[in-house]
Amino acid sequence: WLALKEPKMGNVYIDSILHVLADFRDDPACAKMYGLALLCRGDIFRDELKFSEAIAQYFEGRKYIQQSEDTCMFYEFDGRIAMVYYRQKKFTNALPYFQEAFESLYACTKDTFYRFHYQQGLLDNMGLCYRELNRHDSALFYYDSALHYIQQFEPVFKGMPERERNIQVSKAVIYGNMGEAYWKTGDTARAERLYKASIAINLQKGNEVWDGQ
């Protein structure tokens, strides 16, 4: 229901989950699901731009997720908090949560592409925070880190067409962000090369053309 943007029905299901699990929420076996339900309620507040209420739900959810001792799940909290602060333009506040989310994902070993995809995105997001803080050298450091991270693990997904396409799209986004940073620091020649690299990827069939326009 949340994915379908039906917050009223989403709240009905969330309330049902919280009611059913209320007496078992301190049991580690149920705490994670209880905590996730609170995070989902926070998502509804976030989408309604009620950021203070969203943050309150996220912190309440974290309390139960921590009881589950599933370190991978800490990403669900840290990533959400970081994005709310980012949307509030509180970029300095967002940065440590993006970093914590990145570290938490190392515990996510069941799906290596899930971990890889989100970790490179978090590095790029940290770069975006520094961009908004007008610290372009720091932004470039994180963009470059994201690109090197992709290059390090890209061979693992060779021969998987959908994964390869996603990786190329991620590269295009990073190239575009790097191009912007170099442009703002006066290196227009390097910026132009990076913009062209981003556009070349985005114009390939099936990729995110909008990012290159």
Side-chain angles (χ1 to χ4, degrees):
W1 292 106
L2 295 181
L4 294 173
K5 303 300 181 183
E6 294 285 349
K8 289 184 178 179
M9 289 304 301
N11 263 324
V12 169
Y13 279 91
I14 290 167
D15 287 342
S16 297
I17 292 169
L18 295 175
H19 177 73
V20 169
L21 295 178
D23 293 336
F24 308 98
R25 60 190 174 186
D26 292 323
D27 182 338
C30 299
K32 180 166 67 174
M33 186 174 293
Y34 192 86
L36 279 173
L38 290 169
L39 296 186
C40 289
R41 176 177 280 170
D43 291 344
I44 292 174
F45 284 127
R46 177 201 63 201
D47 293 342
E48 294 174 345
L49 305 183
K50 297 176 181 177
F51 295 129
S52 295
E53 292 91 335
I55 289 172
Q57 291 296 304
Y58 291 154
F59 274 100
E60 183 70 9
R62 180 181 70 165
K63 181 173 68 176
Y64 292 100
I65 289 172
Q66 286 177 328
Q67 289 181 27
S68 74
E69 300 182 352
D70 183 348
T71 308
C72 174
M73 290 302 303
F74 294 176
Y75 162 76
E76 297 288 347
F77 163 78
D78 292 317
R80 282 171 162 88
I81 287 286
M83 287 307 302
V84 166
Y85 281 138
Y86 187 90
R87 290 178 66 176
Q88 289 181 300
K89 301 186 184 303
K90 296 179 179 179
F91 306 111
T92 302
N93 291 352
L95 277 164
Y97 286 103
F98 279 131
Q99 183 65 49
E100 287 293 326
F102 180 87
E103 297 296 335
S104 296
L105 280 166
Y106 278 117
C108 301
T109 57
K110 292 182 179 179
D111 185 338
T112 54
F113 188 78
Y114 171 89
R115 180 180 64 198
F116 162 80
H117 178 72
Y118 283 104
Q119 281 187 314
Q120 64 82 21
L122 289 164
L123 290 169
D124 189 59
N125 286 345
M126 285 186 265
L128 293 174
C129 286
Y130 282 111
R131 177 194 70 182
E132 297 298 331
L133 293 168
N134 206 33
R135 294 173 57 183
H136 300 298
D137 288 341
S138 295
L140 281 166
F141 170 81
Y142 281 98
Y143 297 150
D144 193 55
S145 296
L147 197 57
H148 277 85
Y149 182 86
I150 289 173
Q151 292 168 344
Q152 180 183 357
F153 292 99
E154 186 175 7
V156 174
F157 307 104
K158 188 174 179 60
M160 304 178 190
E162 186 62 23
R163 301 292 194 234
E164 290 178 331
R165 189 190 72 81
N166 288 337
I167 288 169
Q168 290 305 307
V169 168
S170 296
K171 284 183 179 179
V173 171
I174 296 167
Y175 288 148
N177 290 338
M178 292 178 78
E180 179 189 34
Y182 278 116
W183 186 272
K184 289 184 176 180
T185 57
D187 192 342
T188 55
R190 186 175 294 185
E192 185 176 353
R193 289 197 299 271
L194 286 160
Y195 280 138
K196 286 180 177 178
S198 178
I199 291 169
I201 294 172
N202 282 329
L203 291 180
Q204 293 173 14
K205 186 177 179 180
N207 288 348
E208 294 180 355
V209 178
W210 59 268
D211 190 64
Q213 294 178 340

